[in-house]
Amino acid sequence: MLIISNTVTIDEWEVELTAIRSQGAGGQNVNKVASAIHLRFDIKRSKLPDFYKQRLLQLNDSRVTKEGVIVLKAQSHRTQELNREDALKRLKDLIVSATKLERARRATKPTRSSQRKRMDKKTKHGQTKALRGNIKL
């Protein structure tokens, strides 16, 4: 069972884990050991709350297919167990990040005093350059 929050969990039957061979350079075990993990999680079939499902399906992420399946491949570790833990952790992180609500940005204007200070600083900088002889006024 994967715990997402205090009230939301994912059962083992909802996550499909498959062992596959890792890519990249290998040694003696390269053609014998399937240490990478291929994770598939069907968002629509899961028992996640509707809010979580909607947010995940709205993600513009290459890991979410058009059919609503999250596909992750974990192969950074040498053992299957560590790759399995990594894949589950990445699934949890993806779900948590998709459900975080960000504050709406409110446009603001700089204050008059900050604008005045900025212009004074620019004028002063230009005068010091002119005194050094870098710029002719």
Side-chain angles (χ1 to χ4, degrees), residues 10-87:
I10 296 176
D11 290 332
E12 291 178 17
W13 64 266
E14 296 181 85
V15 179
E16 179 185 331
L17 295 169
T18 310
I20 57 174
R21 291 192 181 132
S22 293
Q23 291 178 326
Q28 296 171 347
N29 284 341
V30 70
N31 293 324
K32 296 184 281 185
V33 180
S35 61
I37 294 293
H38 198 244
L39 180 143
R40 293 179 64 84
F41 177 72
D42 192 350
I43 299 169
K44 295 175 183 175
R45 255 189 53 217
S46 70
K47 63 178 185 92
L48 285 174
D50 289 334
F51 172 72
Y52 281 72
K53 289 182 182 181
Q54 289 173 357
R55 295 291 295 220
L56 285 169
L57 291 171
Q58 289 173 356
L59 274 182
N60 188 13
D61 196 328
S62 61
R63 298 173 290 186
V64 180
T65 64
K66 292 178 185 174
E67 295 81 29
V69 178
I70 296 175
V71 179
L72 297 173
K73 184 176 180 183
Q75 62 178 6
S76 58
H77 300 285
R78 292 179 69 138
T79 63
Q80 200 177 91
E81 293 79 25
L82 289 176
N83 282 329
R84 179 174 290 134
E85 290 173 14
D86 182 41

